[in-house]
Amino acid sequence: MPGKFGAGETHPPWVEYPPGMPFHIIEYRRPVRGLVLVAVLLLGGCSKQEPLYTEQLFVFGTLVEFSIWGAESEQAREAVSAVAADFQRMHRDWHAWKPGALTELNRALAAGEPAEADPFVLPLIEESKELYRRSEGLFNPAIGRLIALWGFHSDDRPTGPPPSQKTIADLVARHPTMNDIDVQANRVRSRNPAVQLDFGAFAKGYAIDLAVRRLREQGIDHAIVNAGGDLRAIGRRGERPWRVGIRHPQGRGVLASVETDGDDSVFTSGNYERYREHEGVRHSHIIDPRSGMPVEHVASVTVIHDNGAVADAAATALTVAGPKAWHRIAQAMGIKYAMLVDGEGTVYMNPAMAGRIRFEGGDPPEIVFGELL
Ligand code: ADP
Ligand code: MG
């Protein structure tokens, strides 16, 4: 479905482009100045024929878009405002570098002191310990110091030369892992002062899962929660499934589309949005915890899974695993559908994934199929 959103568009149409319909339900109009995006309902979102309610929130530095099918608009509006209240709290408590529950906990972990974890942060720690283990340590939210060292610990894009090899090696040698963290009831302690938590690789997935739980509590069974192209879709769009786009790793709109099946999270990790560039070399914001270096060989990874947090963590872990090891890590993390795209545009995926996606705007130059091991 190329065409409508040209090169350089910051907000490609990754949600919903139903076949046979005029492509998209929402048009984003960017004001001449300023970053606020104004949504214009084109197809009468709440009419009898199209009981589709859409609303956007700007949180986590991204636009989160809700598409709700088949609910009264009052019910939908109330459900989204319940989610909005949760999101405000997550944004404050989960932030890795702005003062809040997580920065306070990180201070205690670095000092070797036991700390009481905020009830909003504790489940992130517990779940990420498990995902750390299953990913063979490739998903490692304990490497907050390395992330900060590379400058991905800020809202601004880092500039200047990369950190010195020695500083990187020193931090890697201190080997911060999720296994260093002991959790007893709500008391948390780290045996390794080099541990610093950064949940950037899966907080979005976790937040989307909470949003879906909240929507269901409010009686919403058919919806998409889409945070900047990472999304979870539940139920159906009336008579047919939801159909969503997978972002192109080079930021050129949509690479492929997927029809979701009851409850699917579609998450893509890529190096096109956040990276560091120096003398023409681009460094991805995804760090290989084994070397302390940004991942080079992978442009993006897309995972489909029922749980958003797991999909998010896995997309990051498979980026680190790369074309040689993604099969094993996907299997260990319980993922059934995965696709990697490298810098040349070569696609690596398992046949089950191939059965679920359709490339939009032309096939990739090469596809390498591999079964999960
Ligand atoms: P996105 O969806 O934004 O492309 P990810 O979900 O892959 O990105 O998350 C990337 C973020 O995760 C980084 O900005 C950093 O904060 C953190 N991170 C980087 N490398 C790792 C890693 N190996 N394990 C866990 N977290 C990481
Ligand atoms: Mg991720």
Side-chain angles (χ1 to χ4, degrees), residues 138-141 143 147 152 198 200-202 204 230 247 268-270 273-274 285-289 312 315-316 320:
L138 303 188
F139 166 76
N140 183 1
I143 60 166
I147 292 161
F152 296 120
D198 178 324
F202 96 136
K204 205 198 273 178
D230 289 326
R247 290 174 289 171
T268 301
S269 271
E273 261 171 4
R274 278 175 66 71
H285 69 140
I286 297 172
I287 311 280
D288 187 333
D312 198 355
T316 306
V320 180

PDB file of all heavy atoms in Angstrom, residues 138-141 143 147 152 198 200-202 204 230 247 268-270 273-274 285-289 312 315-316 320, ligand 1:
ATOM      1  N   LEU A 138      20.503 -12.348  26.394  1.00  0.00           N
ATOM      2  CA  LEU A 138      20.574 -11.335  25.322  1.00  0.00           C
ATOM      3  C   LEU A 138      19.607 -10.185  25.581  1.00  0.00           C
ATOM      4  O   LEU A 138      19.863  -9.046  25.207  1.00  0.00           O
ATOM      5  CB  LEU A 138      20.307 -11.975  23.959  1.00  0.00           C
ATOM      6  CG  LEU A 138      21.247 -13.115  23.589  1.00  0.00           C
ATOM      7  CD1 LEU A 138      21.022 -13.540  22.144  1.00  0.00           C
ATOM      8  CD2 LEU A 138      22.712 -12.730  23.792  1.00  0.00           C
ATOM      9  N   PHE A 139      18.478 -10.491  26.195  1.00  0.00           N
ATOM     10  CA  PHE A 139      17.604  -9.447  26.729  1.00  0.00           C
ATOM     11  C   PHE A 139      18.070  -9.233  28.162  1.00  0.00           C
ATOM     12  O   PHE A 139      17.907 -10.107  29.012  1.00  0.00           O
ATOM     13  CB  PHE A 139      16.144  -9.916  26.685  1.00  0.00           C
ATOM     14  CG  PHE A 139      15.203  -9.068  27.514  1.00  0.00           C
ATOM     15  CD1 PHE A 139      14.789  -7.829  27.072  1.00  0.00           C
ATOM     16  CD2 PHE A 139      14.744  -9.526  28.748  1.00  0.00           C
ATOM     17  CE1 PHE A 139      13.922  -7.045  27.838  1.00  0.00           C
ATOM     18  CE2 PHE A 139      13.871  -8.752  29.522  1.00  0.00           C
ATOM     19  CZ  PHE A 139      13.474  -7.508  29.063  1.00  0.00           C
ATOM     20  N   ASN A 140      18.719  -8.114  28.402  1.00  0.00           N
ATOM     21  CA  ASN A 140      19.286  -7.894  29.731  1.00  0.00           C
ATOM     22  C   ASN A 140      19.054  -6.465  30.213  1.00  0.00           C
ATOM     23  O   ASN A 140      19.872  -5.580  29.975  1.00  0.00           O
ATOM     24  CB  ASN A 140      20.786  -8.221  29.702  1.00  0.00           C
ATOM     25  CG  ASN A 140      21.413  -8.086  31.079  1.00  0.00           C
ATOM     26  OD1 ASN A 140      20.724  -7.765  32.042  1.00  0.00           O
ATOM     27  ND2 ASN A 140      22.711  -8.323  31.154  1.00  0.00           N
ATOM     28  N   PRO A 141      17.930  -6.258  30.900  1.00  0.00           N
ATOM     29  CA  PRO A 141      17.634  -4.892  31.372  1.00  0.00           C
ATOM     30  C   PRO A 141      18.538  -4.438  32.510  1.00  0.00           C
ATOM     31  O   PRO A 141      18.372  -3.321  32.989  1.00  0.00           O
ATOM     32  CB  PRO A 141      16.180  -4.985  31.854  1.00  0.00           C
ATOM     33  CG  PRO A 141      15.693  -6.315  31.477  1.00  0.00           C
ATOM     34  CD  PRO A 141      16.863  -7.198  31.252  1.00  0.00           C
ATOM     35  N   ILE A 143      21.652  -3.850  32.088  1.00  0.00           N
ATOM     36  CA  ILE A 143      22.786  -3.132  31.483  1.00  0.00           C
ATOM     37  C   ILE A 143      22.528  -1.629  31.321  1.00  0.00           C
ATOM     38  O   ILE A 143      23.091  -0.983  30.429  1.00  0.00           O
ATOM     39  CB  ILE A 143      23.205  -3.725  30.113  1.00  0.00           C
ATOM     40  CG1 ILE A 143      22.040  -3.662  29.105  1.00  0.00           C
ATOM     41  CG2 ILE A 143      23.738  -5.150  30.268  1.00  0.00           C
ATOM     42  CD1 ILE A 143      22.463  -3.913  27.658  1.00  0.00           C
ATOM     43  N   ILE A 147      23.906   1.309  28.569  1.00  0.00           N
ATOM     44  CA  ILE A 147      22.982   2.088  27.736  1.00  0.00           C
ATOM     45  C   ILE A 147      23.230   3.582  27.952  1.00  0.00           C
ATOM     46  O   ILE A 147      23.288   4.365  27.006  1.00  0.00           O
ATOM     47  CB  ILE A 147      21.526   1.674  28.042  1.00  0.00           C
ATOM     48  CG1 ILE A 147      21.297   0.239  27.551  1.00  0.00           C
ATOM     49  CG2 ILE A 147      20.524   2.625  27.374  1.00  0.00           C
ATOM     50  CD1 ILE A 147      20.113  -0.464  28.146  1.00  0.00           C
ATOM     51  N   PHE A 152      22.114   6.418  25.170  1.00  0.00           N
ATOM     52  CA  PHE A 152      20.706   6.145  24.857  1.00  0.00           C
ATOM     53  C   PHE A 152      19.851   6.260  26.117  1.00  0.00           C
ATOM     54  O   PHE A 152      18.838   5.609  26.278  1.00  0.00           O
ATOM     55  CB  PHE A 152      20.548   4.764  24.216  1.00  0.00           C
ATOM     56  CG  PHE A 152      21.246   4.676  22.895  1.00  0.00           C
ATOM     57  CD1 PHE A 152      22.261   3.763  22.678  1.00  0.00           C
ATOM     58  CD2 PHE A 152      20.906   5.547  21.875  1.00  0.00           C
ATOM     59  CE1 PHE A 152      22.914   3.706  21.462  1.00  0.00           C
ATOM     60  CE2 PHE A 152      21.551   5.492  20.654  1.00  0.00           C
ATOM     61  CZ  PHE A 152      22.561   4.571  20.445  1.00  0.00           C
ATOM     62  N   ASP A 198      17.087  -0.802  33.260  1.00  0.00           N
ATOM     63  CA  ASP A 198      16.518   0.016  32.177  1.00  0.00           C
ATOM     64  C   ASP A 198      15.537  -0.892  31.445  1.00  0.00           C
ATOM     65  O   ASP A 198      15.933  -1.867  30.809  1.00  0.00           O
ATOM     66  CB  ASP A 198      17.640   0.480  31.241  1.00  0.00           C
ATOM     67  CG  ASP A 198      17.116   1.307  30.061  1.00  0.00           C
ATOM     68  OD1 ASP A 198      16.013   0.999  29.546  1.00  0.00           O
ATOM     69  OD2 ASP A 198      17.815   2.225  29.626  1.00  0.00           O
ATOM     70  N   GLY A 200      13.642  -0.210  28.946  1.00  0.00           N
ATOM     71  CA  GLY A 200      13.287   0.336  27.626  1.00  0.00           C
ATOM     72  C   GLY A 200      12.960  -0.724  26.582  1.00  0.00           C
ATOM     73  O   GLY A 200      12.218  -0.467  25.633  1.00  0.00           O
ATOM     74  N   ALA A 201      13.498  -1.942  26.736  1.00  0.00           N
ATOM     75  CA  ALA A 201      13.285  -2.953  25.707  1.00  0.00           C
ATOM     76  C   ALA A 201      11.961  -3.694  25.844  1.00  0.00           C
ATOM     77  O   ALA A 201      11.584  -4.437  24.937  1.00  0.00           O
ATOM     78  CB  ALA A 201      14.438  -3.955  25.724  1.00  0.00           C
ATOM     79  N   PHE A 202      11.284  -3.534  26.985  1.00  0.00           N
ATOM     80  CA  PHE A 202      10.005  -4.254  27.058  1.00  0.00           C
ATOM     81  C   PHE A 202       8.890  -3.532  27.807  1.00  0.00           C
ATOM     82  O   PHE A 202       7.761  -4.035  27.893  1.00  0.00           O
ATOM     83  CB  PHE A 202      10.221  -5.693  27.522  1.00  0.00           C
ATOM     84  CG  PHE A 202      10.043  -5.979  28.989  1.00  0.00           C
ATOM     85  CD1 PHE A 202       9.337  -7.097  29.412  1.00  0.00           C
ATOM     86  CD2 PHE A 202      10.595  -5.148  29.946  1.00  0.00           C
ATOM     87  CE1 PHE A 202       9.178  -7.387  30.759  1.00  0.00           C
ATOM     88  CE2 PHE A 202      10.447  -5.427  31.304  1.00  0.00           C
ATOM     89  CZ  PHE A 202       9.736  -6.539  31.696  1.00  0.00           C
ATOM     90  N   LYS A 204       7.219  -0.986  26.890  1.00  0.00           N
ATOM     91  CA  LYS A 204       6.122  -0.649  25.987  1.00  0.00           C
ATOM     92  C   LYS A 204       5.176  -1.850  25.818  1.00  0.00           C
ATOM     93  O   LYS A 204       3.953  -1.707  25.852  1.00  0.00           O
ATOM     94  CB  LYS A 204       6.689  -0.234  24.624  1.00  0.00           C
ATOM     95  CG  LYS A 204       5.758   0.663  23.854  1.00  0.00           C
ATOM     96  CD  LYS A 204       6.130   0.687  22.395  1.00  0.00           C
ATOM     97  CE  LYS A 204       7.169   1.736  22.066  1.00  0.00           C
ATOM     98  NZ  LYS A 204       7.526   1.689  20.623  1.00  0.00           N
ATOM     99  N   ASP A 230       4.259  -0.561  17.406  1.00  0.00           N
ATOM    100  CA  ASP A 230       4.230  -1.786  18.203  1.00  0.00           C
ATOM    101  C   ASP A 230       2.822  -1.893  18.766  1.00  0.00           C
ATOM    102  O   ASP A 230       2.312  -0.924  19.343  1.00  0.00           O
ATOM    103  CB  ASP A 230       5.235  -1.713  19.354  1.00  0.00           C
ATOM    104  CG  ASP A 230       6.667  -1.793  18.848  1.00  0.00           C
ATOM    105  OD1 ASP A 230       6.903  -2.496  17.839  1.00  0.00           O
ATOM    106  OD2 ASP A 230       7.546  -1.159  19.448  1.00  0.00           O
ATOM    107  N   ARG A 247       6.416  -2.122  10.201  1.00  0.00           N
ATOM    108  CA  ARG A 247       7.222  -0.993   9.715  1.00  0.00           C
ATOM    109  C   ARG A 247       8.403  -1.450   8.864  1.00  0.00           C
ATOM    110  O   ARG A 247       9.019  -2.482   9.125  1.00  0.00           O
ATOM    111  CB  ARG A 247       7.789  -0.223  10.911  1.00  0.00           C
ATOM    112  CG  ARG A 247       6.748   0.513  11.675  1.00  0.00           C
ATOM    113  CD  ARG A 247       7.354   1.127  12.922  1.00  0.00           C
ATOM    114  NE  ARG A 247       7.684   0.110  13.907  1.00  0.00           N
ATOM    115  CZ  ARG A 247       8.374   0.350  15.014  1.00  0.00           C
ATOM    116  NH1 ARG A 247       8.828   1.541  15.259  1.00  0.00           N
ATOM    117  NH2 ARG A 247       8.609  -0.619  15.866  1.00  0.00           N
ATOM    118  N   THR A 268       8.139  -4.692  16.682  1.00  0.00           N
ATOM    119  CA  THR A 268       9.321  -4.572  15.834  1.00  0.00           C
ATOM    120  C   THR A 268      10.382  -3.749  16.553  1.00  0.00           C
ATOM    121  O   THR A 268      10.099  -2.671  17.060  1.00  0.00           O
ATOM    122  CB  THR A 268       8.948  -3.880  14.508  1.00  0.00           C
ATOM    123  OG1 THR A 268       7.943  -4.666  13.845  1.00  0.00           O
ATOM    124  CG2 THR A 268      10.151  -3.755  13.586  1.00  0.00           C
ATOM    125  N   SER A 269      11.596  -4.303  16.614  1.00  0.00           N
ATOM    126  CA  SER A 269      12.741  -3.541  17.122  1.00  0.00           C
ATOM    127  C   SER A 269      13.564  -3.143  15.931  1.00  0.00           C
ATOM    128  O   SER A 269      13.815  -3.959  15.048  1.00  0.00           O
ATOM    129  CB  SER A 269      13.633  -4.431  17.996  1.00  0.00           C
ATOM    130  OG  SER A 269      13.210  -4.390  19.306  1.00  0.00           O
ATOM    131  N   GLY A 270      14.013  -1.918  15.936  1.00  0.00           N
ATOM    132  CA  GLY A 270      14.808  -1.529  14.783  1.00  0.00           C
ATOM    133  C   GLY A 270      15.806  -0.459  15.137  1.00  0.00           C
ATOM    134  O   GLY A 270      15.736   0.130  16.210  1.00  0.00           O
ATOM    135  N   GLU A 273      14.967   4.362  14.377  1.00  0.00           N
ATOM    136  CA  GLU A 273      14.396   5.495  15.113  1.00  0.00           C
ATOM    137  C   GLU A 273      15.379   6.075  16.105  1.00  0.00           C
ATOM    138  O   GLU A 273      15.575   7.271  16.183  1.00  0.00           O
ATOM    139  CB  GLU A 273      13.144   5.048  15.862  1.00  0.00           C
ATOM    140  CG  GLU A 273      11.886   5.408  15.105  1.00  0.00           C
ATOM    141  CD  GLU A 273      10.647   4.802  15.708  1.00  0.00           C
ATOM    142  OE1 GLU A 273      10.754   4.157  16.768  1.00  0.00           O
ATOM    143  OE2 GLU A 273       9.579   4.976  15.116  1.00  0.00           O
ATOM    144  N   ARG A 274      15.973   5.182  16.864  1.00  0.00           N
ATOM    145  CA  ARG A 274      16.944   5.660  17.846  1.00  0.00           C
ATOM    146  C   ARG A 274      18.302   5.068  17.510  1.00  0.00           C
ATOM    147  O   ARG A 274      18.466   3.862  17.444  1.00  0.00           O
ATOM    148  CB  ARG A 274      16.512   5.242  19.254  1.00  0.00           C
ATOM    149  CG  ARG A 274      15.472   6.187  19.852  1.00  0.00           C
ATOM    150  CD  ARG A 274      14.955   5.698  21.181  1.00  0.00           C
ATOM    151  NE  ARG A 274      15.943   5.676  22.262  1.00  0.00           N
ATOM    152  CZ  ARG A 274      16.431   6.775  22.834  1.00  0.00           C
ATOM    153  NH1 ARG A 274      16.076   7.954  22.437  1.00  0.00           N
ATOM    154  NH2 ARG A 274      17.297   6.670  23.820  1.00  0.00           N
ATOM    155  N   HIS A 285      20.649   1.481  18.963  1.00  0.00           N
ATOM    156  CA  HIS A 285      20.415   1.636  20.409  1.00  0.00           C
ATOM    157  C   HIS A 285      20.218   0.297  21.092  1.00  0.00           C
ATOM    158  O   HIS A 285      19.936   0.238  22.282  1.00  0.00           O
ATOM    159  CB  HIS A 285      19.225   2.555  20.669  1.00  0.00           C
ATOM    160  CG  HIS A 285      17.903   1.972  20.271  1.00  0.00           C
ATOM    161  ND1 HIS A 285      16.755   2.115  21.004  1.00  0.00           N
ATOM    162  CD2 HIS A 285      17.548   1.219  19.209  1.00  0.00           C
ATOM    163  CE1 HIS A 285      15.757   1.491  20.417  1.00  0.00           C
ATOM    164  NE2 HIS A 285      16.209   0.946  19.322  1.00  0.00           N
ATOM    165  N   ILE A 286      20.365  -0.787  20.340  1.00  0.00           N
ATOM    166  CA  ILE A 286      20.280  -2.109  20.965  1.00  0.00           C
ATOM    167  C   ILE A 286      21.708  -2.624  21.163  1.00  0.00           C
ATOM    168  O   ILE A 286      22.499  -2.681  20.220  1.00  0.00           O
ATOM    169  CB  ILE A 286      19.422  -3.064  20.120  1.00  0.00           C
ATOM    170  CG1 ILE A 286      17.999  -2.484  20.078  1.00  0.00           C
ATOM    171  CG2 ILE A 286      19.439  -4.470  20.705  1.00  0.00           C
ATOM    172  CD1 ILE A 286      17.067  -3.187  19.152  1.00  0.00           C
ATOM    173  N   ILE A 287      22.010  -2.939  22.409  1.00  0.00           N
ATOM    174  CA  ILE A 287      23.385  -3.268  22.788  1.00  0.00           C
ATOM    175  C   ILE A 287      23.503  -4.770  23.024  1.00  0.00           C
ATOM    176  O   ILE A 287      22.638  -5.368  23.675  1.00  0.00           O
ATOM    177  CB  ILE A 287      23.759  -2.538  24.113  1.00  0.00           C
ATOM    178  CG1 ILE A 287      23.392  -1.042  24.065  1.00  0.00           C
ATOM    179  CG2 ILE A 287      25.209  -2.775  24.494  1.00  0.00           C
ATOM    180  CD1 ILE A 287      24.323  -0.161  23.343  1.00  0.00           C
ATOM    181  N   ASP A 288      24.587  -5.343  22.519  1.00  0.00           N
ATOM    182  CA  ASP A 288      24.886  -6.745  22.815  1.00  0.00           C
ATOM    183  C   ASP A 288      25.542  -6.789  24.193  1.00  0.00           C
ATOM    184  O   ASP A 288      26.669  -6.297  24.354  1.00  0.00           O
ATOM    185  CB  ASP A 288      25.827  -7.311  21.746  1.00  0.00           C
ATOM    186  CG  ASP A 288      26.027  -8.810  21.932  1.00  0.00           C
ATOM    187  OD1 ASP A 288      25.906  -9.295  23.080  1.00  0.00           O
ATOM    188  OD2 ASP A 288      26.307  -9.492  20.920  1.00  0.00           O
ATOM    189  N   PRO A 289      24.837  -7.367  25.189  1.00  0.00           N
ATOM    190  CA  PRO A 289      25.391  -7.328  26.549  1.00  0.00           C
ATOM    191  C   PRO A 289      26.732  -8.048  26.669  1.00  0.00           C
ATOM    192  O   PRO A 289      27.499  -7.770  27.591  1.00  0.00           O
ATOM    193  CB  PRO A 289      24.330  -8.050  27.392  1.00  0.00           C
ATOM    194  CG  PRO A 289      23.097  -8.063  26.563  1.00  0.00           C
ATOM    195  CD  PRO A 289      23.545  -8.051  25.136  1.00  0.00           C
ATOM    196  N   ASP A 312       7.893  -7.885  22.879  1.00  0.00           N
ATOM    197  CA  ASP A 312       8.816  -6.751  22.895  1.00  0.00           C
ATOM    198  C   ASP A 312      10.224  -7.205  23.296  1.00  0.00           C
ATOM    199  O   ASP A 312      11.228  -6.908  22.623  1.00  0.00           O
ATOM    200  CB  ASP A 312       8.263  -5.700  23.880  1.00  0.00           C
ATOM    201  CG  ASP A 312       8.870  -4.330  23.686  1.00  0.00           C
ATOM    202  OD1 ASP A 312       9.794  -4.182  22.854  1.00  0.00           O
ATOM    203  OD2 ASP A 312       8.424  -3.385  24.376  1.00  0.00           O
ATOM    204  N   ALA A 315      11.760  -9.308  20.544  1.00  0.00           N
ATOM    205  CA  ALA A 315      12.223  -8.557  19.370  1.00  0.00           C
ATOM    206  C   ALA A 315      13.616  -7.986  19.644  1.00  0.00           C
ATOM    207  O   ALA A 315      14.511  -8.019  18.785  1.00  0.00           O
ATOM    208  CB  ALA A 315      11.235  -7.448  19.019  1.00  0.00           C
ATOM    209  N   THR A 316      13.834  -7.515  20.861  1.00  0.00           N
ATOM    210  CA  THR A 316      15.154  -6.987  21.225  1.00  0.00           C
ATOM    211  C   THR A 316      16.185  -8.126  21.288  1.00  0.00           C
ATOM    212  O   THR A 316      17.283  -8.009  20.732  1.00  0.00           O
ATOM    213  CB  THR A 316      15.062  -6.253  22.585  1.00  0.00           C
ATOM    214  OG1 THR A 316      14.034  -5.267  22.494  1.00  0.00           O
ATOM    215  CG2 THR A 316      16.377  -5.592  22.938  1.00  0.00           C
ATOM    216  N   VAL A 320      19.747  -8.942  18.963  1.00  0.00           N
ATOM    217  CA  VAL A 320      21.102  -9.248  19.447  1.00  0.00           C
ATOM    218  C   VAL A 320      21.552 -10.614  18.906  1.00  0.00           C
ATOM    219  O   VAL A 320      22.700 -10.792  18.498  1.00  0.00           O
ATOM    220  CB  VAL A 320      21.154  -9.231  20.997  1.00  0.00           C
ATOM    221  CG1 VAL A 320      22.566  -9.547  21.485  1.00  0.00           C
ATOM    222  CG2 VAL A 320      20.682  -7.883  21.547  1.00  0.00           C
TER     223      VAL A 320
HETATM  224  P1  ADP B   1      12.459  -0.153  19.895  1.00  0.00           P
HETATM  225  O1  ADP B   1      11.178  -0.921  19.947  1.00  0.00           O
HETATM  226  O2  ADP B   1      12.379   1.214  20.503  1.00  0.00           O
HETATM  227  O3  ADP B   1      13.185  -0.206  18.594  1.00  0.00           O
HETATM  228  P2  ADP B   1      13.546  -2.070  21.782  1.00  0.00           P
HETATM  229  O4  ADP B   1      12.257  -2.603  22.246  1.00  0.00           O
HETATM  230  O5  ADP B   1      14.455  -3.037  21.143  1.00  0.00           O
HETATM  231  O6  ADP B   1      13.427  -0.832  20.870  1.00  0.00           O
HETATM  232  O7  ADP B   1      14.276  -1.414  23.028  1.00  0.00           O
HETATM  233  C1  ADP B   1      15.515  -0.754  22.891  1.00  0.00           C
HETATM  234  C2  ADP B   1      15.892  -0.151  24.235  1.00  0.00           C
HETATM  235  O8  ADP B   1      16.154  -1.199  25.167  1.00  0.00           O
HETATM  236  C3  ADP B   1      17.178   0.655  24.197  1.00  0.00           C
HETATM  237  O9  ADP B   1      16.934   2.024  23.943  1.00  0.00           O
HETATM  238  C4  ADP B   1      17.751   0.441  25.579  1.00  0.00           C
HETATM  239  O10 ADP B   1      17.135   1.302  26.506  1.00  0.00           O
HETATM  240  C5  ADP B   1      17.329  -0.974  25.927  1.00  0.00           C
HETATM  241  N1  ADP B   1      18.284  -2.026  25.515  1.00  0.00           N
HETATM  242  C6  ADP B   1      19.259  -1.973  24.568  1.00  0.00           C
HETATM  243  N2  ADP B   1      19.870  -3.169  24.432  1.00  0.00           N
HETATM  244  C7  ADP B   1      19.269  -4.005  25.312  1.00  0.00           C
HETATM  245  C8  ADP B   1      19.438  -5.387  25.650  1.00  0.00           C
HETATM  246  N3  ADP B   1      20.347  -6.168  25.038  1.00  0.00           N
HETATM  247  N4  ADP B   1      18.639  -5.908  26.610  1.00  0.00           N
HETATM  248  C9  ADP B   1      17.701  -5.155  27.238  1.00  0.00           C
HETATM  249  N5  ADP B   1      17.506  -3.846  26.974  1.00  0.00           N
HETATM  250  C10 ADP B   1      18.261  -3.282  26.021  1.00  0.00           C
END
